[in-house]
Amino acid sequence: IQTFYRLFHQCRKTFAPLNLSDYEAIGRCEQEVPEYFNFASDVLDKWSQIEKKRKEPSNPALWWINGKGGERKWSFEELGFESRKVANVLSGPCGLQRGDRIIVILPRIPEWWLLNTACMRTGVVFIPGTTQLTAKDICYRLLASKAKCIVTIDALAPAVDSVASQCQFLKTKLIVSESRRAEWLNFSDLLKAAPAVHNCVKTRSQDPMTIYFTSGTTGFPKMVEHSYGSFGLGFFICGRYWMNLTPSDVVWSMSDTGWIKAAIGNVFGPWFQGTCAFVHAMPQFDPKVILNTLCRYPVTTLCSAPTVYRMLVQHDLTRYTFKTLKHCLSGGEPVNPEVMEQWKSQTGLNIYEGYGQTEIGMICGNMKGMKIKPGSLGKAAPPYDVQIIDEKGSVLPPGEEGDIAIKIDAKRPFTFFTRYVDDPVKTASTIRGNFYITGDRGSMDEDGYIWFMGRSDDVIISSGYRIGPFEVESALIEHPAVVESAVVSSPDAIRGEVVKAFVVLSPSFKTHDRKKLACELQDHVKKVTAPYKYPRKIEFVEQLPKTITGKIKRSELRNKEWGQI
Ligand code: BCO
């Protein structure tokens, strides 16, 4: 009898319709988070059923192009079929079990989407990383996360091999490549041989699903852990109301696969709404490729970092006709009103800014239909109650600058990250009284719009990247010319802000050509750590400003850069 009931409930769940209004109520915290939730079986497989019943042809779930004639289009059913096979690769030849961790460092190729979905199906914890990571970064991530498996491409395999012997937890290396590599399993060989039948694991909403490495002021990147509930369910509102997506839309979100923005814009945002995620492989960023793609493909919704819009408006946009584009989004860093204005005057479209964090997803946004106040982050996004508070945790009146914070009542919102893995002190430090502290400074106006002022710590937000000064300083000190350095943000017309290093040279390098030395240091940083962090500006100084206890006063240097002294 028990078996009968189990099978009966399993069947009922499998064939239950996709109830988007329930997910909306959950997203707004008006309905309890279900005990069990898995985005693959509860959402993707439902869209696959809906797709089968439709009479008219549907948009693909994933539409990938590489700009050189390569193209792949997968329906939700095909995505389900392929990802079940990948799930069998993970739990079969890769030897992974539910709860094991896997690091996936892939460019924008379809296999990334398959692995992401396959991890949900198997309960393996997915840890994405940008392809800009160096051997040292990869080693750090493998050791910190204790990942048992890594997946990457030919270009990064030597970096992995150079550190693999130091990573005692690493058991399996999986390569996505047309050629074979010794000691690596080959993804396509295994995929061909993998069985197509796979039963998705039943995950609780609070089970760990993914981990992101994210930079802070001190130390190396921290591991932000998200659950099936915070990650899957948490992005419903964002996909529906900020991205304004429906099954007839085609959304192109350009983020690198290593960032949470790829998950929001290319996975959960669109797929929750049955929308096509459009992907251009674009190994090198090229504004002309973007503009031509928008002319050739039926993209309705564009999501990108403000730096990209700043680069696009340098071109004469009136020479391009975007036939289907109707909604533009930006996030990751503040967008300037001038760029919004230039984009609007040349395309007729507004840019709807969203503001969020790896830890808690979307915090504020300009939802479609809302009045846009250029330069503001928009209003609090459900389910968050965003307030500006002082250092004691008291709410400040409109117009006053303070910490941008999220009210936490009796219960932590389910959309929050679970924790910084292995770092309870850091996890606890994000809470002040009844508030979660974002680390950003801002103010709120009478209408509830939030205005961003800057970081309250030393983290640098450049081109949408979150860069920890300590990581850059640690890279610089490895060069023999550097005695010590201080890294701060410096204004930049295109990238919002860039990394600037103040460097004290060792005596033997003081007579060297400064220009050449600056380039050498930049190249050095690009080799030691992910190149996006390299200091685009370098100033050589005799000494650094310090406190009486010898701590470098980064704030003094930063204020000078921003003309505040
Ligand atoms: O600009 P440079 O040429 O001097 O240097 C570039 C690259 O050439 C260089 N590089 C890359 N790979 C290298 C390398 N150098 C040596 N060896 C290699 N293997 O490093 C620099 C990298 O800078 P970049 O990534 O900014 O490059 P680029 O081409 O200027 O790209 C511009 C953008 C706008 C496309 C890029 O900056 C970008 O994608 N920005 C957005 C980042 C993003 O998505 N952030 C969102 C994070 S999630 C979030 O904020 C939470 C929101 C809820």
Side-chain angles (χ1 to χ4, degrees):
I1 286 172
Q2 269 181 350
T3 310
F4 170 79
Y5 274 113
R6 196 169 41 80
L7 289 172
F8 173 74
H9 285 298
Q10 207 170 322
C11 278
R12 217 172 60 152
K13 198 164 174 248
T14 307
F15 296 105
L18 176 69
N19 201 339
L20 293 181
S21 56
D22 275 352
Y23 287 125
E24 165 144 10
I26 295 164
R28 291 181 181 279
C29 281
E30 290 162 2
Q31 197 170 303
E32 276 294 305
V33 174
E35 186 179 358
Y36 294 97
F37 178 74
N38 186 298
F39 190 78
S41 56
D42 290 327
V43 178
L44 297 179
D45 293 349
K46 301 282 182 223
W47 278 114
S48 174
Q49 289 165 19
I50 295 168
E51 195 181 65
K52 271 192 238 159
K53 284 188 201 143
R54 276 206 196 112
K55 295 208 173 68
E56 63 287 0
S58 309
N59 273 336
L62 185 79
W63 185 351
W64 174 88
I65 60 164
N66 67 2
K68 294 185 220 139
E71 183 172 59
R72 257 188 252 179
K73 279 183 187 178
W74 283 329
S75 62
F76 281 100
E77 190 183 3
E78 287 162 329
L79 176 74
F81 178 80
E82 295 291 335
S83 63
R84 276 182 211 104
K85 291 184 76 169
V86 179
N88 283 323
V89 169
L90 296 183
S91 45
C94 292
L96 296 171
Q97 291 178 1
R98 184 179 180 153
D100 286 344
R101 295 172 182 164
I102 185 171
I103 294 187
V104 179
I105 309 176
L106 292 179
R108 286 175 280 247
I109 53 175
E111 287 79 358
W112 184 82
W113 279 260
L114 290 184
L115 280 152
N116 199 338
T117 312
C119 283
M120 299 175 207
R121 293 192 185 281
T122 50
V124 170
V125 179
F126 183 73
I127 311 179
T130 167
T131 51
Q132 289 197 32
L133 295 178
T134 62
K136 204 173 166 201
D137 300 320
I138 294 170
C139 184
Y140 168 72
R141 280 159 176 74
L142 281 168
L143 287 171
S145 69
K146 303 188 176 71
K148 287 195 179 154
C149 179
I150 189 161
V151 190
T152 195
I153 46 165
D154 287 318
L156 281 161
V160 175
D161 282 336
S162 71
V163 297
S165 62
Q166 301 164 47
C167 305
Q168 70 268 36
F169 308 102
L170 182 64
K171 299 278 176 283
T172 312
K173 296 180 288 182
L174 183 61
I175 195 157
V176 180
S177 166
E178 276 166 19
S179 47
R180 315 286 165 270
R181 191 178 172 91
E183 296 171 21
W184 287 70
L185 297 176
N186 184 282
F187 182 82
S188 34
D189 288 351
L190 297 178
L191 188 61
K192 270 183 217 137
V197 177
H198 183 271
N199 287 328
C200 186
V201 292
K202 197 173 172 199
T203 48
R204 284 179 198 277
S205 293
Q206 65 270 43
D207 283 348
M209 186 178 128
T210 186
I211 293 174
Y212 281 83
F213 279 83
T214 186
S215 296
T217 300
T218 54
F220 290 103
K222 310 281 180 297
M223 289 182 278
V224 175
E225 184 183 270
H226 273 282
S227 65
Y228 281 82
S230 66
F231 226 59
L233 290 167
F235 295 133
F236 182 90
I237 297 285
C238 175
R240 173 159 278 196
Y241 291 102
W242 178 56
M243 301 180 83
N244 197 39
L245 298 173
T246 67
S248 45
D249 286 308
V250 175
V251 60
W252 183 14
S253 179
M254 264 171 243
S255 179
D256 183 285
T257 55
W259 315 119
I260 193 175
K261 239 174 124 223
I264 299 174
N266 271 330
V267 182
F268 300 98
W271 285 351
F272 226 138
Q273 312 300 328
T275 305
C276 168
F278 178 86
V279 183
H280 192 308
M282 212 163 47
Q284 270 86 41
F285 174 73
D286 182 346
K288 283 206 180 113
V289 169
I290 297 176
L291 296 170
N292 288 324
T293 304
L294 288 173
C295 294
R296 273 189 217 138
Y297 290 87
V299 173
T300 59
T301 313
L302 181 68
C303 181
S304 201
T307 298
V308 172
Y309 288 104
R310 287 187 209 109
M311 290 172 173
L312 293 181
V313 296
Q314 310 291 314
H315 296 253
D316 178 6
L317 300 181
T318 55
R319 291 176 46 221
Y320 299 86
T321 310
F322 309 148
K323 284 190 237 72
T324 47
L325 190 64
K326 59 175 188 178
H327 194 41
C328 300
L329 305 150
S330 82
E333 48 163 333
V335 60
N336 353 33
E338 306 80 51
V339 173
M340 289 174 93
E341 186 45 50
Q342 285 165 352
W343 183 257
K344 170 107 189 192
S345 69
Q346 298 207 59
T347 64
L349 298 166
N350 285 312
I351 299 175
Y352 289 78
E353 182 166 359
Y355 157 70
Q357 280 188 343
T358 305
E359 286 84 341
I360 43 181
M362 187 165 170
I363 303 166
C364 295
N366 289 280
M367 306 297 179
K368 186 82 190 253
M370 222 172 100
K371 178 186 168 196
I372 294 180
K373 293 194 185 184
S376 106
L377 303 173
K379 292 187 186 186
Y384 295 137
D385 175 2
V386 181
Q387 298 290 343
I388 307 297
I389 62 165
D390 65 15
E391 59 287 350
K392 292 193 195 105
S394 305
V395 175
L396 291 169
E400 274 196 38
E401 183 186 330
D403 291 312
I404 304 180
I406 298 170
K407 182 101 192 290
I408 310 168
D409 290 321
K411 230 161 79 186
R412 192 178 160 92
F414 78 93
T415 43
F416 271 36
F417 72 120
T418 321
R419 58 181 177 143
Y420 292 111
V421 179
D422 300 333
D423 201 342
V425 175
K426 170 95 180 143
T427 308
S429 73
T430 58
I431 306 297
R432 187 187 303 158
N434 288 337
F435 289 95
Y436 168 87
I437 308 298
T438 60
D440 292 321
R441 303 274 297 165
S443 66
M444 189 192 284
D445 67 17
E446 299 279 355
D447 301 325
Y449 284 75
I450 314 282
W451 300 77
F452 181 82
M453 307 276 186
R455 288 287 305 174
S456 59
D457 54 20
D458 294 329
V459 168
I460 301 157
I461 308 287
S462 176
S463 322
Y465 295 117
R466 181 161 142 174
I467 301 169
F470 172 81
E471 294 168 60
V472 186
E473 288 161 7
S474 302
L476 281 166
I477 199 84
E478 287 185 30
H479 192 282
V482 179
V483 170
E484 61 178 350
S485 71
V487 164
V488 298
S489 67
S490 177
D492 183 82
I494 295 291
R495 292 173 190 272
E497 55 189 63
V498 291
V499 174
K500 174 159 181 181
F502 290 86
V503 175
V504 178
L505 285 175
S506 87
S508 50
F509 280 83
K510 283 200 168 150
T511 52
H512 283 219
D513 180 321
R514 297 288 163 106
K515 238 183 173 171
K516 271 195 200 150
L517 198 50
C519 291
E520 196 180 312
L521 291 178
Q522 288 174 327
D523 287 342
H524 163 79
V525 174
K526 283 183 182 179
K527 283 190 197 108
V528 175
T529 189
Y532 67 85
K533 296 180 207 160
Y534 87 90
R536 287 174 188 271
K537 295 183 186 172
I538 293 187
E539 188 175 327
F540 296 104
V541 291
E542 286 305 312
Q543 58 186 28
L544 297 171
K546 291 189 181 161
T547 61
I548 206 149
T549 53
K551 208 169 159 241
I552 295 168
K553 291 196 223 162
R554 287 201 197 102
S555 58
E556 193 172 296
L557 295 167
R558 187 174 52 238
N559 291 345
K560 232 162 78 182
E561 284 306 299
W562 290 85
Q564 286 160 357
I565 285 183

